[in-house]
Amino acid sequence: MQQQASTNETSIAAIREAVAILLQRPLRSVEDLAWSLAYQLKGQTGVSGPEPPTVLMTPFVYQDTKVASPFSRFFQPLLERQAAELGHWKIVTEGQAAYVLGGSYWEQKDRVRFILSARSAADGHIAASAEAVIDGKILRATERSLRPENYKA
């Protein structure tokens, strides 16, 4: 029995190490970006109870504008799918939710930084957060504007 427990602990440690290495690799697609953000949140907001927590996701906003862009509307379903698969969350579009997910993204020369937080709907505290940086060329390849319509720098 002791031998089996030791083997299981080694396997879990090896898996955690492999995932940590994956999280440090450069993101090569918007799907990788969605996976990375969802995985980071999953580690901070474990499922407790028989029912998956309900999550209301708001679109990412461009920098400090509080306005979504064509890209953020394109990206939202990708992130919702990853959050549902990895986090075992039930994504809702209206009504009661345990968490509200929202974030922003910031252009930084040739890269874009995404910052996401999960707030408790009950009291507003930040239950989890995630951050990822991706090459701007990858996002521009989606042919969707990162900036909101009518944005003026």
Side-chain angles (χ1 to χ4, degrees):
M1 189 73 156
Q2 183 72 10
Q3 179 74 18
Q4 184 178 6
S6 176
T7 303
N8 287 342
E9 289 173 16
T10 302
S11 298
I12 292 169
I15 290 169
R16 286 187 178 140
E17 184 176 328
V19 169
I21 290 168
L22 281 174
L23 287 171
Q24 293 173 3
R25 294 179 60 194
L27 303 173
R28 303 203 188 288
S29 69
V30 290
E31 290 81 8
D32 286 353
L33 174 63
W35 181 91
S36 177
L37 292 169
Y39 187 84
Q40 291 176 61
L41 289 179
K42 172 192 173 217
Q44 300 170 55
T45 58
V47 175
S48 60
E51 292 294 317
T54 53
V55 174
L56 176 66
M57 191 169 298
T58 61
F60 274 87
V61 297
Y62 179 74
Q63 299 186 158
D64 58 358
T65 66
K66 305 213 183 305
V67 180
S69 69
F71 173 79
S72 62
R73 288 186 289 277
F74 162 78
F75 184 66
Q76 183 173 344
L78 299 175
L79 184 57
E80 287 175 348
R81 185 172 52 248
Q82 289 297 332
E85 289 176 14
L86 291 172
H88 304 289
W89 296 336
K90 180 180 178 187
I91 307 298
V92 297
T93 56
E94 57 186 37
Q96 292 284 6
Y99 298 106
V100 177
L101 268 60
S104 59
Y105 57 94
W106 299 75
E107 289 184 277
Q108 301 174 326
K109 295 186 181 180
D110 59 344
R111 303 178 331 159
V112 180
R113 179 176 305 279
F114 284 75
I115 303 167
L116 177 64
S117 63
R119 290 190 176 272
S120 167
D123 59 15
H125 83 276
I126 295 176
S129 63
E131 189 170 325
V133 176
I134 189 167
D135 189 322
K137 288 184 276 188
I138 295 168
L139 302 182
R140 285 187 285 284
T142 67
E143 298 182 1
R144 288 169 176 85
S145 176
L146 293 174
R147 296 180 180 180
E149 291 92 350
N150 303 322
Y151 175 80
K152 294 178 182 159

